[in-house]
Amino acid sequence: MVENELLSVKQLSVKLQNKVILLDTHLTLNFGDILGLVGPSGCGKTTLLNTIAGFNSPSTGELNIKRNNSSSTHLIVEEDVLTITPFKHVVPEHRNIGMIFQDYALFPHLSVEKNICFGINKLPKSEQKFRMTDLLNLLKLTGLEARFPHQLSGGQQQRVAIARALAPQPTLLLLDEPFSNIDARLRNELMLEMRQILKQLKMSAIFVTHNKDEVFTFADKIAVMHQGSILQIGRPADVCHSPNSWQVADFLQLGSWIPVKAINGQFQSAVGELPSTEDLFLKENMITYKGGPQKLQLLLKSQAIVYCEDGFEKNNVKVDNISITEHGFHYLLSSIDKDLSLSFEQLSFYSNCLFALGQKIAIKIKSHNYQVFNSYDDILG
Amino acid sequence: MIAPLKNNIWRSACWLIVFLLITPVVVMVLASFSSSSDLFSHLWQTVLPDYITNTLVLGVLVVFLSLIFGTLSAAFIVHTNVLGKNFLRWLLLLPLAMPAYLVAYLYTDLFDYAGPVQRALRSWFNWQSPSDYWFFDIRTLPGASIVISLVLFPYVYMLTRTALEQQDQNLLRAGRLLGLSAKQSFLKVALPLARPAIAISASLVLMETLADFATVNYFAVNTLTTAIYDTWLGYGDLATANALASILMLIILFVVVGEQRARAGQNHQSNRPNQHIEIITLSFFQQLLISGFCWTLVLAGFLLPFALLVIMAVEYSSMAQLANLISPSLNSIEVSFYAATIATLFALLCSLYRRLSFDKWRILPSSLSGIGYAVPGTVLAMALLASFGPLDHFINDIARYLQLKEPGLVLSGTIFAVVFAFVVRFSAIANGTISSGIKQIPNSIDFAPASLGVGLGQMLKKVHLPILRPSIFVAWLLVFVESMKELSAVLLLRPFNFDTLSIQIYQLISDEMLEQGALSAILIVLLGLLPIIWLNRSKELS
């Protein structure tokens, strides 16, 4: 393993009840990083988390987990790096990994204090007390030690779950949909707070979510999963800027889709020909559409759309829906040109101009680094 | 909000039902205070302390054994790959269908000096007399405890198994990640979480044990129930019998209160069922030991006694015996039918009242009417005799005063008393079943019909009753079966020459002639299987 690497997952496949859930997954995590696993439900992200935790065994592939011996509370000190293969399982309790469950899984029959000390009860009493006081302060839980889980609010329960997971000083923290039970209004605030705590402790973490806003707020690195494999992994900004497949762009809702045709090296759309740019065809996308006209999909962000207010251009879209947002009016536009192969609906467009419902307007597309994909039929399917 | 149910007649009916169901017990306790007879003080100075000790020792032993049998088997079934797990899952429930007194009789037959086991041993080892060898005597207090716990442990098994299966498995996983092994995680997390369920089941077992009359009577182990029976039927001293019944009632009350306190506010069921439960893989030796343990329980609690009954039936049954079966069967069916119908109706009224009205005390009728379940049949019988006797006299006095024909003992001397006892005792079962059915109807449904312009009557007819139909059926069936099996109350309350199936079996057992009644016994056992099959099926479905 590379020195800075805490976890590496190589060619991992997992079968549950004879069904392949994970297929040939690769992943690495550096010390101190927070990785967000994101993807639609059923894509295998929770299975990946459970496999790292030790609740599932790999059917092929290998996991390497570095253990930070100095902080290990477990009596058994094995090698510095744990290697897990289909033939060599390491039980969860020996992995020095902490986990925060979606419903927190606090022990209902134990007080906050006993919940937090559950994993460190082999340590001397004074050390337990010390760590608990520390965590109570850090997580603003002081005064709640004697309460039982059902006497706490949702946010407090979550903080107890964090404290309990952190008490044994794990090398890696896993979080399964950590914010799904939190009130939408509080969610953002809590995410920032929790991120600060993890960063303060230099804690490495992997969390699972199906909410794209959560990954962008909470993660240093994101991995987008689809049907049992990781499609793209990288810094949020990079993934956002250049998604490597339509699934990634579609799941993260990075823009609207409009169909385009490639004719003689030019893109044709329902709102006119796309102005040429220097790197017109980006990366591997261009390889896939080579050869003759065919149906392609352009990922279009609102910033790349220009409203032609001078009246010289022919109206080419109709306003189907209007909503008001903090970024101005949000319109959903559909094409007027009913050329079936190019027509589109629900093109998202933000503007400060007020249009009427059903109004026909003219727009055009700015020259930019076009991102074109060719799998839209699958999206529709 | 305005309650969907504001009907005064309905409300009064519910409170009247509660009044009827709990008055006899109150009357009995009051009547026992009037007991000044010499017999009571005589009993107190002679045998009563022994009887109370026996009762308590029996209770403690049975609870202890049932807890061992029940929690261990439940843990093995849920958390290990024990051999034959899919069969054992439901086979372990079957002993519930076996009345303890039947097992007592059959095992005495099997294991006593003249029984086949000792005979075989003697012929193998060439022993001549009892002084040549030691063999356990089943007709003792420990023997009774084993026999009773063999048929009652499924309560513990069933409730513990359900609790373990419905636990949030993430709690166990959290335990693992915090450094516990699978076994430790079970002991430190799963078991403590199942404690409320185990406590409920232990109190059920204790109540059933304290209520037992036939087994201890057959084994000649003197407990409070046998003392009550003897005092009333032997000495004809109603007041003293009442006093004894009140003592027993007091013990039961301690059990109920203790159980309630033990699980105050604890409810750890997860609302996410069907989670994957991690299975501990057993070694060959463990497998042998553990599956042996579970199969022994099934064998000893059900299969062996049932096989013995079938053998008896095959060897001894005749047309004459079949004919003898008819009249007690009809009697049993008659009283059980009345009891089941009335109890279900009461439960329906009280549960709907509780759900649909907004009265401050709406919960009380349905919970108070269940109290009778804790009252042992013998005690209940005493309570009814204590209340109906004077009432009958009063009715006859009035009749005489009005110069009408005296009706005789219309309440205490007819099947009215028997049916009444069944309703008091088994209302809790009907209540529980129907209440849990009602809980599954979303609350908003109570208000939807009104919003569509439909009144209370139509709403009940078109919405609630159709949805509740399965629960109503199950409630009726459960009460019916329990009534068919009930023995100790009928024994004291039955009209002259009125035999039920259970009475017939009991009398044949007392006369050491069960062979004559093997068919009735099989019938009772098979009937007892019905609710178990049903319970198991609904558990699997949910």
Side-chain angles (χ1 to χ4, degrees):
Chain A
M1 281 176 93
V2 186
E3 197 188 336
N4 202 23
E5 257 176 32
L6 163 66
L7 168 81
S8 80
V9 174
K10 290 175 201 150
Q11 292 181 303
L12 175 76
S13 299
V14 176
K15 270 190 200 169
L16 295 177
Q17 275 118 36
N18 281 328
K19 221 178 124 198
V20 179
I21 310 289
L22 284 179
L23 191 65
D24 199 19
T25 305
H26 291 262
L27 183 72
T28 57
L29 181 74
N30 291 341
F31 274 105
D33 270 359
I34 300 176
L35 170 73
L37 286 176
V38 63
S41 33
C43 70
K45 41 192 200 306
T46 299
T47 305
L48 179 55
L49 210 63
N50 282 336
T51 311
I52 296 170
F55 299 124
N56 296 329
S57 290
S59 20
T60 59
E62 180 179 312
L63 282 99
N64 291 293
I65 307 169
K66 239 177 237 170
R67 297 201 320 169
N68 189 352
N69 274 338
S70 61
S71 71
S72 169
T73 56
H74 306 299
L75 299 173
I76 306 151
V77 178
E78 290 161 23
E79 67 267 74
D80 202 23
V81 178
L82 293 174
T83 302
I84 295 126
T85 66
F87 314 102
K88 189 168 169 245
H89 185 70
V90 177
V91 290
E93 58 267 33
H94 293 160
R95 295 192 182 197
N96 200 21
I97 288 176
M99 185 154 176
I100 293 164
F101 296 88
Q102 188 173 0
D103 53 3
Y104 315 136
L106 295 178
F107 302 121
H109 60 306
L110 300 180
S111 63
V112 167
E113 178 179 354
K114 291 208 170 127
N115 260 291
I116 295 176
C117 292
F118 193 92
I120 50 173
N121 63 356
K122 290 202 182 96
L123 296 178
K125 278 272 174 273
S126 57
E127 174 67 16
Q128 287 186 33
K129 182 92 192 149
F130 175 74
R131 284 201 196 177
M132 191 183 66
T133 320
D134 230 22
L135 286 166
L136 289 174
N137 283 333
L138 181 70
L139 292 155
K140 298 182 198 143
L141 287 167
T142 318
L144 303 177
E145 300 91 316
R147 298 245 187 121
F148 282 85
H150 65 92
Q151 297 168 315
L152 302 175
S153 71
Q156 288 168 336
Q157 286 182 11
Q158 191 193 37
R159 292 209 292 271
V160 175
I162 299 168
R164 183 180 72 177
L166 291 177
Q169 301 180 344
T171 32
L172 172 62
L173 191 63
L174 305 177
L175 305 100
D176 188 5
E177 307 253 0
F179 304 107
S180 64
N181 286 337
I182 304 280
D183 194 321
R185 252 186 65 110
L186 294 173
R187 199 178 290 164
N188 217 36
E189 201 178 310
L190 231 115
M191 272 192 280
L192 293 174
E193 195 183 310
M194 189 145 150
R195 189 178 151 83
Q196 259 175 6
I197 291 170
L198 294 184
K199 286 291 163 196
Q200 195 181 330
L201 296 170
K202 300 197 173 65
M203 178 57 64
S204 321
I206 301 180
F207 77 103
V208 151
T209 178
H210 57 254
N211 183 332
K212 63 162 183 131
D213 299 330
E214 282 178 23
V215 267
F216 289 135
T217 314
F218 197 67
D220 298 319
K221 235 169 129 184
I222 75 174
V224 184
M225 291 189 70
H226 181 74
Q227 292 181 347
S229 35
I230 293 178
L231 295 178
Q232 188 170 11
I233 180 162
R235 294 191 309 131
D238 294 340
V239 174
C240 190
H241 187 252
S242 43
N244 69 356
S245 60
W246 68 262
Q247 285 101 339
V248 172
D250 191 57
F251 183 79
L252 296 176
Q253 291 172 292
L254 299 175
S256 318
W257 295 107
I258 71 167
V260 290
K261 258 189 221 162
I263 302 166
N264 304 326
Q266 285 290 353
F267 280 128
Q268 195 69 41
S269 82
V271 290
E273 194 172 276
L274 268 57
S276 58
T277 81
E278 275 167 24
D279 35 26
L280 183 58
F281 307 122
L282 285 168
K283 293 172 253 158
E284 53 267 48
N285 296 324
M286 64 178 296
I287 303 163
T288 51
Y289 87 94
K290 255 187 212 159
Q294 53 170 289
K295 211 168 119 184
L296 297 165
Q297 295 291 335
L298 170 71
L299 177 66
L300 194 54
K301 298 185 181 177
S302 177
Q303 305 92 289
I305 302 170
V306 189
Y307 166 50
C308 315
E309 40 194 332
D310 48 15
F312 296 126
E313 307 281 335
K314 195 178 154 216
N315 287 341
N316 50 16
V317 290
K318 184 162 76 69
V319 176
D320 283 342
N321 190 42
I322 308 172
S323 51
I324 296 159
T325 72
E326 78 249 46
H327 316 297
F329 300 105
H330 177 219
Y331 298 100
L332 289 179
L333 309 173
S334 64
S335 57
I336 296 173
D337 179 10
K338 290 305 172 200
D339 173 0
L340 279 181
S341 62
L342 289 180
S343 69
F344 59 82
E345 273 160 23
Q346 304 211 335
L347 171 62
S348 184
F349 175 50
Y350 288 88
S351 170
N352 288 323
C353 308
L354 178 60
F355 306 121
L357 201 60
Q359 187 180 344
K360 289 177 179 167
I361 57 171
I363 58 164
K364 63 183 181 192
I365 296 168
K366 267 197 264 185
S367 164
H368 65 289
N369 292 342
Y370 302 126
Q371 296 186 327
V372 181
F373 301 89
N374 74 339
S375 305
Y376 195 60
D377 285 341
D378 295 326
I379 299 176
L380 289 174
Chain B
M1 264 169 120
I2 294 170
L5 177 70
K6 289 170 295 185
N7 189 316
N8 277 326
I9 302 175
W10 193 312
R11 180 182 300 141
S12 320
C14 288
W15 286 102
L16 184 67
I17 289 168
V18 179
F19 175 78
L20 286 177
L21 294 187
I22 60 178
T23 307
V25 180
V26 177
V27 170
M28 176 195 75
V29 175
L30 292 179
S32 70
F33 288 128
S34 69
S35 142
S36 56
S37 73
D38 298 337
L39 186 59
F40 186 76
S41 58
H42 173 71
L43 281 174
W44 184 251
Q45 279 157 13
T46 51
V47 289
L48 196 53
D50 279 347
Y51 287 7
I52 294 179
T53 315
N54 276 348
T55 305
L56 292 177
V57 170
L58 182 78
V60 170
L61 275 178
V62 171
V63 168
F64 177 74
L65 288 173
S66 304
L67 283 179
I68 291 184
F69 295 164
T71 47
L72 281 182
S73 53
F76 293 147
I77 292 296
V78 176
H79 281 284
T80 73
N81 61 338
V82 58
L83 212 66
K85 181 171 165 168
N86 289 339
F87 292 109
L88 282 172
R89 250 182 85 79
W90 56 270
L91 280 176
L92 279 164
L93 290 171
L94 297 190
L96 268 186
M98 199 47 91
Y101 54 88
L102 272 181
V103 181
Y105 178 85
L106 293 165
Y107 281 3
T108 308
D109 225 27
L110 195 64
F111 292 119
D112 73 359
Y113 185 74
V117 173
Q118 290 204 44
R119 271 209 312 267
L121 285 174
R122 280 197 298 274
S123 69
W124 274 339
F125 296 102
N126 219 1
W127 292 323
Q128 300 302 324
S129 70
S131 55
D132 291 348
Y133 63 100
W134 178 89
F135 198 82
F136 65 86
D137 183 5
I138 197 171
R139 296 184 66 156
T140 54
L141 188 56
S145 312
I146 293 173
V147 164
I148 297 177
S149 41
L150 273 179
V151 298
L152 291 184
F153 86 87
Y155 280 119
V156 182
Y157 163 73
M158 183 168 65
L159 294 178
T160 311
R161 188 191 81 186
T162 312
L164 290 176
E165 280 173 346
Q166 292 185 348
Q167 264 164 12
D168 185 348
Q169 294 304 308
N170 278 346
L171 290 171
L172 277 91
R173 292 179 170 180
R176 298 295 300 277
L177 287 174
L178 295 168
L180 301 184
S181 71
K183 228 176 269 174
Q184 288 169 324
S185 206
F186 173 77
L187 290 175
K188 286 187 74 173
V189 180
L191 210 54
L193 287 175
R195 215 168 39 198
I198 296 175
I200 297 174
S201 62
S203 74
L204 274 176
V205 167
L206 190 53
M207 284 197 278
E208 294 277 346
T209 309
L210 295 179
D212 176 81
F213 164 74
T215 316
V216 283
N217 190 47
Y218 179 70
F219 278 174
V221 173
N222 290 311
T223 64
L224 280 173
T225 46
T226 61
I228 295 167
Y229 188 79
D230 290 344
T231 315
W232 169 229
L233 290 185
Y235 301 97
D237 185 342
L238 188 59
T240 306
N242 274 334
L244 293 173
S246 302
I247 295 176
L248 186 52
M249 201 53 226
L250 207 64
I251 297 177
I252 297 267
L253 210 65
F254 272 116
V255 175
V256 173
V257 172
E259 186 261 320
Q260 295 279 344
R261 290 190 59 124
R263 63 188 176 98
Q266 296 201 35
N267 181 18
H268 308 318
Q269 302 297 306
S270 152
N271 44 11
R272 298 191 304 158
N274 297 330
Q275 299 178 87
H276 174 73
I277 295 176
E278 198 186 353
I279 301 295
I280 300 171
T281 312
L282 300 174
S283 68
F284 176 74
F285 181 68
Q286 287 170 325
Q287 187 66 263
L288 216 62
L289 209 68
I290 287 174
S291 53
F293 172 78
C294 294
W295 283 105
T296 306
L297 287 179
V298 176
L299 203 72
F302 186 82
L303 296 180
L304 181 60
F306 192 70
L308 291 173
L309 275 181
V310 172
I311 293 171
M312 264 185 198
V314 170
E315 275 182 23
Y316 295 95
S317 56
S318 59
M319 279 320 280
Q321 212 193 104
L322 262 180
N324 282 338
L325 211 97
I326 293 174
S327 142
S329 297
L330 289 179
N331 286 341
S332 276
I333 290 172
E334 186 188 5
V335 284
S336 306
F337 178 85
Y338 291 144
T341 310
I342 295 170
T344 309
L345 208 64
F346 282 5
L348 204 54
L349 280 175
C350 292
S351 311
L352 283 173
Y353 171 64
R354 174 185 189 157
R355 165 68 176 251
L356 297 176
S357 98
F358 285 175
D359 292 357
K360 195 174 171 195
W361 304 108
R362 63 184 180 276
I363 298 170
L364 285 183
S366 79
S367 42
L368 282 182
S369 62
I371 284 179
Y373 189 65
V375 184
T378 322
V379 176
L380 184 60
M382 294 320 300
L384 293 189
L385 288 174
S387 349
F388 289 168
L391 215 57
D392 271 335
H393 285 295
F394 181 66
I395 292 172
N396 283 302
D397 286 346
I398 290 180
R400 208 175 311 126
Y401 178 75
L402 297 174
Q403 296 186 333
L404 296 168
K405 185 171 165 284
E406 286 180 35
L409 302 176
V410 274
L411 301 178
S412 59
T414 60
I415 63 166
F416 176 82
V418 178
V419 172
F420 196 98
F422 287 171
V423 173
V424 174
R425 204 151 143 55
F426 303 129
S427 270
I429 300 178
N431 261 329
T433 314
I434 290 180
S435 296
S436 71
I438 288 186
K439 270 186 203 141
Q440 287 173 6
I441 305 178
N443 276 311
S444 54
I445 284 196
D446 300 344
F447 298 97
S451 73
L452 300 167
V454 173
L456 176 71
Q458 284 297 309
M459 167 173 108
L460 292 177
K461 193 176 147 203
K462 287 189 170 165
V463 181
H464 288 71
L465 291 181
I467 299 178
L468 286 176
R469 199 177 293 143
S471 313
I472 294 172
F473 171 70
V474 175
W476 190 91
L477 183 75
L478 289 178
V479 177
F480 183 80
V481 169
E482 285 300 323
S483 306
M484 293 287 283
K485 286 165 64 184
E486 163 66 19
L487 171 67
S488 41
V490 197
L491 214 48
L492 289 169
L493 290 174
R494 67 198 172 117
F496 189 64
N497 259 349
F498 183 85
D499 278 351
T500 63
L501 272 182
S502 52
I503 295 266
Q504 191 193 34
I505 296 168
Y506 169 75
Q507 281 174 342
L508 290 170
I509 282 180
S510 305
D511 301 340
E512 305 278 344
M513 294 195 308
L514 184 63
E515 294 78 8
Q516 305 294 323
L519 279 178
S520 317
I522 290 178
L523 193 61
I524 288 267
V525 173
L526 290 181
L527 271 172
L529 284 177
L530 283 182
I532 295 173
I533 294 168
W534 179 272
L535 273 177
N536 196 46
R537 208 185 73 131
S538 54
K539 281 263 153 51
E540 303 294 308
L541 287 180
S542 69

